[in-house]
Amino acid sequence: MDGNNDKIISNQLFSVLTTLIIGIGILSLPRNLADKAGADSLVVLIIGSLIFMLIANLIVALVLKFPHSTIIEIGNYLMGKFVGKILGIAYFIYIFMLAVIEVRAVGEICKSFLLLTTPIEIIILSFLLVSAYTVRSGMETIARMAVILLPPSIIPALLAMFIVLPDIDPTYFLPVLRTPPIDLLKSIPEVGFSFLGFEFILFIAFFVKDYKNIRKVSNISIITVSIIYFLTVFITIGRFGIEETRTLVWPVITLFKTINIPGTFLENIEVIIMTTWLFSIFMTFTISYYGAVFLLSRVIESKEHNYLAIPLLPLIYFCSLIPENVAQTYDLLGKYSYIGGTIFIVGIPILLLVMSIFKRKPKKEIKRNG
């Protein structure tokens, strides 16, 4: 399939962005906020979400200035073709490494809670093979899958969380604003990087048919994710408390393990929820995998991208096995999110937006092939 012929519409863009952002980070978000902000976790979450919405609108402003272009074409116009290609390579490496860390995290979660005796190598390889098939099918196929998989990946988890509402203790969030202002500011990036994945709009917008709706859809996606994050953090910390949440590797999964529904045949409800949650994690990895493949095809100026999916597969596989354990995997994900997120979500897009203000707008739309 020729990637240039792929078209996605507003509801598909919403599903892609929402599944992409939520991904794996939500599983440890309550622990990270409890550790950094304590009782002010919800305050930090709200402030951080508002700040990221501002950053997201700046990224969208850049995208709307250059309709149906990727970050590579934007860089070509604003900084010259050589620098634009370097920029494209940098984004390719960034997204490729995200895909590597994500598939390893998927493997660790599956092995810890679902497939206890299955070697992690088999789990990772299975994910890679299914994702490679999807990636070869193009962005439109991925977007259709996102529309189908978004509801079952989120609704069961939210319903399960509401079951434990009677056990919530709101006093864990009191008194408000007792965290020192400096510590409060330091904890805000924790929220911003939980929205990791939105920067993919810099190439996903290339496929959007109704371009004028990108800003509205992006804001709705961020609001939706923010609400899901708020409920998750409120219910998780409200159930376990600040100190206990700090000690849990995956507090959200632990929350599911404590749920008991009297009078039902479901004893291990966390298995069912984690199985459906894998839909979202699968889509997060698949879109990252596709982004690496697509950007590489733009860097080498190839009109086709599907043939690159298989050559990248063994590279992703072997790189994903480099971390020695789950602790090292999440430490790597955290550090990479901070460094990569600062550069590729905030730094480069805002720099390009500023440059676009001082450079005359092109008379003709940038060609889709660069």
Side-chain angles (χ1 to χ4, degrees):
M1 180 181 292
D2 184 352
N4 291 343
N5 293 328
D6 281 354
K7 299 283 187 180
I8 65 176
I9 56 178
S10 295
N11 70 312
Q12 293 173 333
L13 177 62
F14 167 79
S15 298
V16 167
L17 290 177
T18 303
T19 54
L20 181 60
I21 294 171
I22 292 177
I24 298 171
I26 191 174
L27 299 179
S28 58
L29 179 62
R31 171 175 58 81
N32 295 337
L33 285 178
D35 187 50
K36 298 287 180 64
D40 291 315
S41 295
L42 293 179
V43 175
V44 171
L45 181 59
I46 294 172
I47 295 174
S49 298
L50 292 174
I51 292 175
F52 185 82
M53 180 170 286
L54 174 62
I55 295 173
N57 275 275
L58 293 177
I59 297 175
V60 171
L62 174 66
V63 167
L64 294 178
K65 276 179 170 286
F66 302 91
H68 303 294
S69 304
T70 70
I71 185 66
I72 298 176
E73 287 79 58
I74 296 174
N76 287 346
Y77 174 75
L78 294 175
M79 308 174 77
K81 189 169 184 179
F82 175 77
V83 178
K85 182 153 292 192
I86 296 298
L87 192 61
I89 294 173
Y91 267 90
F92 160 72
I93 296 173
Y94 165 69
I95 294 177
F96 173 84
M97 290 305 301
L98 274 182
V100 167
I101 300 172
E102 285 166 357
V103 77
R104 176 57 187 268
V106 166
E108 294 288 355
I109 293 172
C110 287
K111 184 169 178 60
S112 299
F113 296 96
L114 298 176
L115 306 172
L116 305 181
T117 60
T118 305
I120 193 170
E121 293 83 359
I122 300 300
I123 298 173
I124 292 175
L125 186 59
S126 300
F127 259 85
L128 279 171
L129 290 173
V130 177
S131 292
Y133 178 81
T134 308
V135 167
R136 284 173 55 85
S137 300
M139 189 66 207
E140 184 179 3
T141 300
I142 294 174
R144 291 179 183 274
M145 285 187 63
V147 173
I148 296 172
L149 296 180
L150 179 61
S153 67
I154 293 178
I155 293 176
L158 292 178
L159 291 177
M161 288 182 190
F162 282 118
I163 293 175
V164 302
L165 274 179
D167 300 326
I168 299 301
D169 184 359
T171 60
Y172 285 125
F173 300 98
L174 297 175
V176 180
L177 297 178
R178 67 179 178 182
T179 306
I182 295 179
D183 293 339
L184 207 63
L185 291 174
K186 289 181 179 179
S187 59
I188 289 178
E190 200 69 51
V191 178
F193 295 127
S194 65
F195 287 90
L196 197 72
F198 182 83
E199 70 277 15
F200 283 35
I201 193 70
L202 291 167
F203 77 85
I204 293 176
F206 176 86
F207 302 99
V208 178
K209 185 177 181 180
D210 39 353
Y211 216 74
K212 61 183 180 180
N213 292 327
I214 289 180
R215 185 184 299 278
K216 180 176 72 174
V217 173
S218 298
N219 285 330
I220 293 175
S221 297
I222 294 172
I223 292 173
T224 301
V225 173
S226 298
I227 293 173
I228 294 173
Y229 282 172
F230 184 91
L231 291 173
T232 302
V233 172
F234 174 72
I235 294 174
T236 304
I237 296 180
R239 178 68 181 271
F240 297 125
I242 300 296
E243 296 304 322
E244 186 174 352
T245 303
R246 287 172 175 169
T247 64
L248 301 174
V249 178
W250 291 306
V252 177
I253 299 178
T254 305
L255 174 69
F256 294 148
K257 290 174 71 69
T258 64
I259 296 175
N260 181 30
I261 306 178
T264 67
F265 63 91
L266 299 176
E267 294 185 0
N268 298 320
I269 191 173
E270 79 276 3
V271 174
I272 297 174
I273 295 173
M274 283 306 303
T275 301
T276 58
W277 194 270
L278 281 177
F279 295 152
S280 177
I281 299 175
F282 170 77
M283 289 307 304
T284 300
F285 167 69
T286 299
I287 298 170
S288 300
Y289 189 179
Y290 180 83
V293 169
F294 177 70
L295 286 180
L296 181 59
S297 71
R298 306 296 288 184
V299 168
I300 64 177
E301 299 182 5
S302 170
K303 292 184 178 180
E304 296 284 343
H305 72 271
N306 53 6
Y307 70 94
L308 294 171
I310 300 303
L312 283 184
L313 191 151
L315 193 58
I316 294 176
Y317 173 76
F318 288 112
C319 288
S320 69
L321 297 178
I322 293 177
E324 296 180 359
N325 49 48
V326 62
Q328 196 174 94
T329 300
Y330 263 80
D331 182 61
L332 182 62
L333 178 60
K335 291 179 179 178
Y336 194 75
S337 299
Y338 275 96
I339 298 173
T342 302
I343 297 172
F344 294 98
I345 300 179
V346 182
I348 294 176
I350 292 180
L351 174 63
L352 292 177
L353 179 62
V354 172
M355 292 179 65
S356 69
I357 294 174
F358 295 99
K359 191 161 187 175
R360 183 178 300 177
K361 189 176 180 181
K363 295 180 180 179
K364 296 182 179 180
E365 180 182 305
I366 296 178
K367 294 180 180 180
R368 289 170 63 85
N369 290 328

